[in-house]
Amino acid sequence: MKKLFFGIALIAAIGVNAATPVYLDDSKPLEDRVEDALSRMTLREKINLIHAQSKFSAPGVPRLGIPETWCTDGPMGVRPEVLWDEWEQAKWTNDSCTAFPSLTALAATWDPDMALLYGKSIGEEARYRNKSVLLGPGINIYRTPLNGRNFEYMGEDPYLTSQMVVPYVKGVQSNGVAACVKHFALNNNEINRHTSNPIVDDRTLYEIYLPGFRAAAQEGEAWSFMGGYNLFRGEHASYNPILMNEILKGEWGWDGAVISDWGAVHDTRTAVSGGLDMEFGSWTNGLSNGASNAYDSYFLAEPYLKGIEDGTYSTRELDDKVRRVLRLTMRTAMDRKRPFGSMGSDEHVEACRRIGEEGVVLLQNRGNLLPLNLDKTKKIAVIGENAIKMMTVGGGSSSLKARYEVTPLDGLKKRVGDKAEIVYARGYVGDPTGEYNGVVTGQDLNDPRSPEELRDEALRVARDADVVLFFGGLNKSNHQDCEDTDRESLDLPYGQNELIEALAKVNPNLAVINISGTGVAMPWTAKVPAIMQAWYLGNETGNALASVLAGDANPSGKLPYTYYATLDQCGAHKLGEYPGHPGIDELGNEVMDMPYNEGIFVGYRFIDKNKLKPTFPFGHGISYTTFEYGKAGIDKAEGSADDVFTVTIPVTNSGSREGKEVVQLYISDKKSSVERPVKELKGFRKVSLKPGETAEVKFEIGRDALSYFDADKHAWVCEPGEFEALIGASSADIRSKVKFKVK
């Protein structure tokens, strides 16, 4: 009945003569259409437009033929449908999606073309399901490796994040689906996420935590943003006047719509004035608890309407919210030219596998243990729960109902065939469950054996194998890679460290494939010849990993974050600030104050400043081939701050396999009036080279790459003086340097 009514309303609104309203004529300028629609709306229709009518939709304006806004969780696949008023599954049979790799895996490709492919592919699936908004990508900076939601984000560096988020956003929106960039801003931990109160100076805010969002808003032209649960300077992020009004909509000139995180709104007054445009999920923790039929009582519903009627609020803020929601609707559900999309296509399967292969990071490969030599290898021992555990279900709001999922063991068996015997042993039991929010994997991973029995079997299987492949790491259960909880330790869970050490003693040909969305402690690196960071790779996990292990694909991923040896190598932990300290905010509410006293020294910046040696540095990743870097050159030794300096460096594939290398540019300010990082990433290029082939890699360095944020002037400043361009294969592997001066 609802769909029929909408259809009748739309026909009535469009009419059959030349008197078509401007807002329905997509040949007219967007702002003319928005103003025309706004002028025809009643006060109640305006109020209805800015809050939810169900768990994932807002009502539109049926009288005027303005359609509903339907959101779906991302950012790694389109969430299965839930009931109108509840979190329970709707139990559709046609809402399975393509599960794409985690965004950490995407960031590890260091390839904007992969980000564009990713965004376009997931956008097609959201469009096919008739969604207006995809709730992603997430781009919060890795401040701590314990953040339970790191797997949904793009690493520790603001420049890398900026370069990867823009093509993702453009890819999604090419389908007429809005990307909703989240969580703006400073949502850097899940523990105490509703009361976390980051205490951050402006320089740190602008240099570390805002650049990705600015790029998404200005370069990516994202049509929507999502606020965070946390507070910032006394107010919640989803309607924070500094973040939303002063910075996002003011300084950056952004014209999109701000959507609250589910359950992130707490009162009407600040929601009205703080820059929030659409309220979703109130009276819910964002995951499970909720109240049915409460939508008219939302903070931006009846309380707001009554406040306008009694003069408490003017309509100025309301009209701004409505304009932004109308822009969102006209760019998405009302765009009659947007493509139809597709779901679970062969192209999406190929994109999933390809992104997975490109994101895998080979961390260590002593003795060239990998790739597997299937001409000589007769027996392969596969050990570990993560070889058989499906990972698309779980982790919070990004949990997916995948069309299928190839496990690492199944992918390896398919690739190896009858060339070698594969023998599997569990080794440990971590999380035998496979259900989240009503979606089940169908796996029964319960095992009655004791830890000692499991360990003994693994050692027996490993002892006489030619190669041992241990698939371990984390999973998407609470206190691992999961929304609403942080990890409790940097260590691998379930006794994996002890098992790995024991395996290394019985068989030196051991490769550890770590599946996780963030870094873990690896105290056994000296005893294990080969280590691979494998991520959550979605549908094609097993096929992508088998391709890399067998050498069909040459690994080319690089770490998008620092692999700390201990938590003391991370500034937030070394300075004792995580997980915060009980405090009282400006309104008298109990909060968890979290000073960001490490300032701009996040990740490799803290490592460099303190001359530490992590397990693996930011930007690290090796290949089955080798690359030689020549001497860097620069087009001029001196210029003004407005000049562009061009740095070039020859890079040669000096090995015997075709491969890809990520060439990284870091900038160092040799003498500054303020403390600056030893170096900062300001450019990268991923080049594909055949054996013996050389590429001339070019970087252009402008004012943006040389500047720091001056909080007193509230401006980016490029000081005159000497700078150095450093070209390398990682933040710790600098191959060539060249100096230049800014007048």
Side-chain angles (χ1 to χ4, degrees):
M1 180 64 74
K2 179 173 289 196
K3 290 184 178 178
L4 176 62
F5 175 75
F6 168 71
I8 295 171
L10 182 59
I11 293 171
I14 294 176
V16 292
N17 53 42
T20 301
V22 170
Y23 70 88
L24 288 172
D25 184 356
D26 54 14
S27 68
K28 300 291 185 181
L30 175 64
E31 293 307 310
D32 290 352
R33 298 176 65 206
V34 167
E35 293 303 321
D36 182 51
L38 181 68
S39 70
R40 298 170 187 266
M41 295 171 64
T42 67
L43 177 60
R44 181 168 290 278
E45 286 170 339
K46 292 178 182 179
I47 291 290
N48 287 346
L49 196 70
I50 64 171
H51 69 82
Q53 64 173 355
S54 74
K55 290 301 181 191
F56 281 98
S57 71
V61 187
R63 180 180 67 86
L64 297 178
I66 297 172
E68 299 168 330
T69 297
W70 277 91
C71 304
T72 182
D73 269 320
M76 296 171 292
V78 180
R79 182 176 182 152
E81 302 297 333
V82 298
L83 296 177
W84 181 267
D85 237 0
E86 306 292 341
W87 288 108
E88 294 178 20
Q89 293 299 300
K91 298 182 180 179
W92 287 17
T93 58
N94 62 346
D95 59 347
S96 297
C97 71
T98 300
F100 293 94
S102 65
L103 290 194
T104 314
L106 174 63
T109 69
W110 288 62
D111 190 342
D113 289 340
M114 289 294 101
L116 181 64
L117 174 65
Y118 195 125
K120 177 178 179 295
S121 301
I122 196 173
E124 287 171 348
E125 300 221 344
R127 171 64 186 99
Y128 187 82
R129 291 267 294 280
N130 204 27
K131 306 301 181 184
S132 300
V133 181
L134 177 76
L135 302 174
I139 58 169
N140 293 106
I141 293 295
Y142 282 28
R143 181 175 178 250
T144 165
L146 301 189
N147 182 14
R149 220 161 175 180
N150 276 348
F151 72 101
E152 290 189 57
Y153 301 148
M154 294 187 178
E156 72 183 34
D157 184 75
Y159 181 83
L160 175 62
T161 298
S162 299
Q163 295 300 303
M164 297 300 287
V165 69
V166 169
Y168 180 107
V169 167
K170 289 183 175 180
V172 171
Q173 295 185 169
S174 68
N175 295 282
V177 174
C180 187
V181 185
K182 63 185 188 183
H183 305 87
F184 189 61
L186 300 166
N187 192 145
N188 305 117
N189 52 276
E190 290 297 292
I191 189 172
N192 304 316
R193 64 177 179 170
H194 290 273
T195 57
S196 284
N197 185 37
I199 301 171
V200 188
D201 64 88
D202 273 0
R203 183 182 174 197
T204 299
L205 181 69
Y206 276 81
E207 289 193 18
I208 302 297
Y209 297 102
L210 292 187
F213 291 105
R214 180 181 179 181
Q218 295 187 326
E219 298 173 46
E221 299 181 321
W223 296 334
S224 64
F225 264 46
M226 180 188 287
Y229 286 122
N230 56 284
L231 295 97
F232 175 61
R233 295 180 185 171
E235 194 51 80
H236 285 87
S238 280
Y239 39 86
N240 188 285
I242 299 172
L243 294 175
M244 300 303 178
N245 292 335
E246 294 181 19
I247 297 175
L248 178 61
K249 297 177 179 180
E251 292 178 22
W252 299 348
W254 182 73
D255 69 357
V258 172
I259 297 174
S260 72
D261 205 339
W262 269 235
V265 184
H266 303 279
D267 70 89
T268 299
R269 180 185 60 82
T270 49
V272 168
S273 62
L276 176 65
D277 300 313
M278 297 187 82
E279 178 186 2
F280 280 89
S282 291
W283 299 311
T284 170
N285 64 9
L287 293 172
S288 57
N289 299 327
S292 300
N293 299 313
Y295 305 105
D296 288 340
S297 298
Y298 270 29
F299 297 106
L300 290 183
E302 287 296 322
Y304 190 13
L305 177 63
K306 291 177 181 178
I308 291 175
E309 291 174 340
D310 67 19
T312 302
Y313 310 114
S314 74
T315 58
R316 180 177 60 85
E317 294 92 347
L318 176 61
D319 285 349
D320 181 66
K321 298 177 195 299
V322 172
R323 285 187 179 95
R324 292 174 180 277
V325 177
L326 286 171
R327 286 189 198 106
L328 176 67
T329 305
M330 290 175 184
R331 287 164 168 164
T332 57
M334 292 183 72
D335 179 5
R336 290 178 288 182
K337 297 186 174 91
R338 66 177 182 160
F340 290 104
S342 57
M343 195 84 183
S345 67
D346 291 343
E347 290 80 6
H348 295 170
V349 170
E350 170 65 17
C352 179
R353 182 190 56 77
R354 185 178 168 197
I355 294 166
E357 290 175 354
E358 295 254 346
V360 169
V361 183
L362 183 60
L363 297 173
Q364 185 166 289
N365 195 26
R366 291 197 301 268
N368 295 321
L369 181 64
L370 298 175
L372 298 170
N373 186 340
L374 296 179
D375 292 329
K376 295 182 179 180
T377 302
K378 301 303 179 185
K379 185 176 182 179
I380 301 171
V382 175
I383 313 292
E385 181 175 281
N386 281 2
I388 61 171
K389 184 174 175 60
M390 293 181 178
M391 296 287 195
T392 53
V393 172
S397 61
S398 63
S399 178
L400 299 173
K401 182 180 175 182
R403 216 159 45 91
Y404 67 92
E405 182 176 347
V406 181
T407 65
L409 181 60
D410 286 342
L412 201 61
K413 285 181 176 179
K414 178 183 175 183
R415 173 60 183 85
V416 172
D418 59 3
K419 293 183 178 180
E421 178 187 7
I422 295 178
V423 183
Y424 174 72
R426 181 78 171 264
Y428 68 93
V429 173
D431 179 9
T433 63
E435 180 177 357
Y436 183 84
N437 196 34
V439 178
V440 297
T441 63
Q443 287 186 305
D444 182 3
L445 296 182
N446 287 290
D447 196 314
R449 290 176 293 174
S450 69
E452 291 75 21
E453 289 175 305
L454 291 164
R455 178 179 179 276
D456 290 345
E457 180 197 35
L459 297 180
R460 185 174 65 254
V461 166
R463 189 169 283 110
D464 63 348
D466 296 311
V467 178
V468 180
L469 303 178
F470 177 81
F471 289 86
L474 307 179
N475 54 45
K476 295 167 80 175
S477 305
N478 285 340
H479 300 294
Q480 297 203 42
D481 282 317
C482 186
E483 181 181 1
D484 203 30
T485 62
D486 279 358
R487 295 166 61 197
E488 297 175 331
S489 169
L490 190 63
D491 290 329
L492 285 170
Y494 316 126
Q496 291 178 76
N497 283 338
E498 294 78 9
L499 179 56
I500 291 170
E501 299 236 9
L503 289 170
K505 288 180 180 178
V506 302
N507 195 323
N509 295 324
L510 171 63
V512 172
I513 297 92
N514 183 68
I515 296 176
S516 69
T518 188
V520 300
M522 292 183 171
W524 31 259
T525 51
K527 303 172 184 177
V528 175
I531 306 172
M532 186 177 284
Q533 178 62 37
W535 321 112
Y536 305 112
L537 300 181
N539 285 158
E540 288 288 294
T541 295
N543 291 333
L545 289 179
S547 178
V548 175
L549 289 167
D552 304 329
N554 195 345
S556 61
K558 300 274 187 174
L559 288 176
Y561 57 79
T562 300
Y563 229 101
Y564 301 111
T566 66
L567 284 177
D568 273 353
Q569 292 187 336
C570 173
H573 294 272
K574 177 66 174 177
L575 300 177
E577 298 158 0
Y578 172 92
H581 318 286
I584 303 294
D585 71 6
E586 297 172 5
L587 303 176
N589 300 312
E590 293 184 359
V591 297
M592 289 296 291
D593 286 334
M594 192 171 288
Y596 281 36
N597 286 336
E598 74 276 19
I600 61 173
F601 296 98
V602 175
Y604 68 90
R605 292 165 170 82
F606 190 81
I607 294 289
D608 286 350
K609 177 184 178 181
N610 294 282
K611 299 180 180 179
L612 304 173
K613 185 174 176 56
T615 305
F616 298 107
F618 171 80
H620 172 73
I622 58 177
S623 169
Y624 294 150
T625 189
T626 54
F627 298 95
E628 290 184 359
Y629 288 58
K631 185 177 180 181
I634 193 165
D635 63 336
K636 50 182 170 288
E638 189 173 1
S640 74
D642 292 320
D643 285 343
V644 174
F645 297 85
T646 301
V647 174
T648 57
I649 186 168
V651 179
T652 302
N653 183 340
S654 54
S656 58
R657 289 174 177 261
E658 183 175 356
K660 297 180 180 179
E661 172 70 335
V662 178
V663 185
Q664 301 162 40
L665 166 73
Y666 295 84
I667 295 295
S668 177
D669 188 344
K670 304 309 291 183
K671 187 177 181 180
S672 174
S673 64
V674 298
E675 187 177 26
R676 300 195 67 175
V678 174
K679 59 180 178 293
E680 296 180 275
L681 181 73
K682 293 298 179 181
F684 61 89
R685 298 285 184 276
K686 193 167 192 175
V687 293
S688 179
L689 298 171
K690 296 178 181 178
E693 185 179 5
T694 298
E696 194 81 6
V697 180
K698 180 185 297 186
F699 296 101
E700 292 186 343
I701 303 169
R703 178 189 286 269
D704 287 350
L706 306 175
S707 300
Y708 70 91
F709 188 79
D710 187 319
D712 293 332
K713 296 178 180 178
H714 200 78
W716 290 90
V717 173
C718 175
E719 290 184 327
E722 187 176 81
F723 290 82
E724 193 169 42
L726 304 93
I727 314 294
S730 80
S731 62
D733 185 10
I734 302 302
R735 305 289 183 90
S736 187
K737 304 176 183 180
V738 60
K739 292 182 179 180
F740 59 98
K741 289 184 179 179
V742 173
K743 294 183 290 188

